[in-house]
Structures are given as structure tokens and as C-alpha cells.
Amino acid sequence: MTRIRELDTLRGFAACGITVVNTWQHTAGALERRVPTPADWIVENLLQGRFYPVFSFLFGVSFVLFLRSAARRTPRPWWPLLRRLGVLACLGLLHRFVSPGEVLLPYAIAGALVLLPASFLPRWLVLTAGVGGTLWAVLAEAGGIWLVPGLFLLGMAVIEYAPGPRALAPAFAVSAPLAVALTGAWVYLWAHPETFRFPYTVAVYPLAGLASAVAYCTGVLLLARRAPGVGAFLQPLGRMTLTAYLAGSLSAAALAPLLARDGTRLGALAAAAAVLAILAGFAHWWLARFRHGPLEWAWRCLTWGELVPARRSPDPAPPATAPRDLSGGPAARDLGN
């Protein structure tokens, strides 16, 4: 199945953001006394709550893509899908010993309880339920984990409707100023707690997070079109998101006691950047030799109950009579795959 490179770009971008936020949160948890710093303001108002909505949305997208792929292999694609979610739940249970706020277990549960039944519904109803569920989570629960089911359904609906690339620029043009306005409103409200008397004031924070997530994602995709290096850096991370997520989380937990000694909190950002650089380098190296990331390969094997080929086959040598281009390489090489 041909990979959708834009989705890999977004997954890689979300993995970067989650790694930064997780490192920050683990460091904050190790602090005996927390004195706010400018770095706190940046993370909490520009990064916190901006990336898990992206992961949730993309999980709904991946659900549909997996179901379509499984339907070509078996007449009952829901069984491998349930096994896939079961493996994810087991990973989440183990991960909870390191990071109690992890998302894999809730994702697996919500996938089985929300996405699987929704796969039998017409797409317009899935879209309606996604919009309604997201609005309910924002207005009634001030976001948080309650956003996950609605965003799952929105991702599921969007991939079914498959909006074209022309939608990126208008989406960015609308979401970017909205994100700035909502974030500014939240900063003001936080500085003036008396305004929280209005019952829906707390909805400003999750709305700011959602608007920022849309702006960040559309902005990254637009940037990747003009700067191919952006996609080249993010896509390998996006192809092994599970490995990157768990490795980043374990690194954050291990480094937290050391990073907590830095009163400026800048050490957490530097550590997150270093971890991401290592993960990106590893992803490039690994995927040049193997088809899937380490945990992604194990996940696939357990899903299908068989050993899936892992190592890439060497490129076949071109025939002696193959036509050659001006650079000396085979003329038919690398036609977009």
C-alpha cells in the first residue's frame, strides 16, 4: 500500500511536539518547588495541549486506512483490527508504569468502543458525531481526554471525504489568526481569574489548543511543499511514531531527575531537542535498512499472527541495456515510490 507522505509528515511533527511536552511534564513532576519561568509560559501557552489533538485526529485517519488495507487481505478485517488495538492496550498498560498520563491505553479503548462501531455508519453521520463529540468535550468538560473520541471520529470522517491539497492554505489562513486570538484570550483570562465566573470561559483553553493544532499542521504541510528538507526530516519519524513516542517518553522519565536541577527549565528543552535529533538520525538509519520501525514491526507481526518481512530487499542492478539519463543513473529509477 502506497504511503501518504503528508500523513507521515504530520505524525513526525506530532511526535516532535509530544516529546518536548512529555520531557517538560516529567521535569515539572520531579521539581520540589516550581517557580514559573518564561520557558514555562512558552510551553504551556504554545505547546501544551496542541499535539495530542493531532495524534488523536491522525489515529482516526489511520484506523480507516488500516481497515481498508485489512479488507484486501481478509473478509473479516475487524478481527485483525481488534488484535491491533489489543496489542496497543498491552503496550499502554506497560507504559503506565513509566508515564501514568500516557495515551496508548485510552486510545485502544476508545478505538474499540467508538471507532469500530462507527465504521458501520455512513460517513455523514460519523462527521456529525465527530463535530458534536468535540464540541461537547470543549463546552462541558473543558477538553482534556474527553476530546479523544470526537477527534477520532473527525479523523475518520476527513479521510473518507479526502479534502484536496487546495484546502491547506484557506485552513491555515483561518486557523492561524483564530489561534492567536484564542491564545491571547486565555492568557488574559488566566491573569484575571475573576472572569472565570462565566460558565464557558474554561472552553477558551481547549479551543485555543484545537485552533493552534490546525494552524501548526497546515503550516507545516505548506512549509514542507516549499522546503523539502522539512518533510525529509519528519517523515521517517512519522513512519515509526510508536517507537519515537515510547522512546521519547522513556528518555524524558530517565532524564527528569537531572533536568529538575535546572531552575531556568531550559535544560528540558535542550534535552528534548537532543533526544529528537537522536531519534531522527536513528529513524533515517533504520528505515534505510528495514521496512518498519522496531515496535511497528512487532505490532504488525502480533496483529497478523505471523512474521512480517522486515529487511528491505537490495535494489536490483539495472540491466546492461537500460537507458541512462544525463546524470548517469537509470532513466526509470525512483518514479515517486
Side-chain angles (χ1 to χ4, degrees), residues 102-202:
E102 69 90 35
V103 299
L104 299 182
L105 181 59
Y107 275 24
I109 295 172
L113 298 180
V114 177
L115 287 178
L116 189 57
S119 65
F120 296 95
L121 301 176
R123 61 183 185 177
W124 68 266
L125 188 55
V126 174
L127 178 60
T128 302
V131 171
T134 303
L135 287 176
W136 173 82
V138 167
L139 298 176
E141 299 294 337
I145 195 67
W146 297 104
L147 281 171
V148 169
L151 291 171
F152 275 9
L153 293 172
L154 284 178
M156 189 177 188
V158 165
I159 195 63
E160 290 285 2
Y161 280 102
R166 292 182 179 180
L168 288 177
F172 179 77
V174 172
S175 61
L178 184 61
V180 172
L182 288 169
T183 301
W186 173 254
V187 172
Y188 173 83
L189 292 171
W190 185 255
H192 300 81
E194 68 276 5
T195 56
F196 278 89
R197 295 173 184 173
F198 185 71
Y200 294 124
T201 303
V202 291

Side-chain angles (χ1 to χ4, degrees), residues 249-270:
S249 179
L250 293 175
S251 300
L255 293 172
L258 296 175
L259 298 175
R261 300 175 184 176
D262 177 18
T264 66
R265 309 287 307 284
L266 294 177
L269 296 181

Side-chain angles (χ1 to χ4, degrees), residues 9 224 227-237 280 284:
T9 299
V230 173
F233 175 81
L234 293 175
Q235 286 167 17
L237 282 173
H284 280 75

Side-chain angles (χ1 to χ4, degrees), residues 66-67 70-83 304:
F66 179 85
L67 204 55
R72 291 192 287 269
R73 297 183 57 172
T74 174
R76 297 179 178 178
W78 298 277
W79 291 118
L81 183 59
L82 285 173
R83 287 197 297 270
W304 294 104

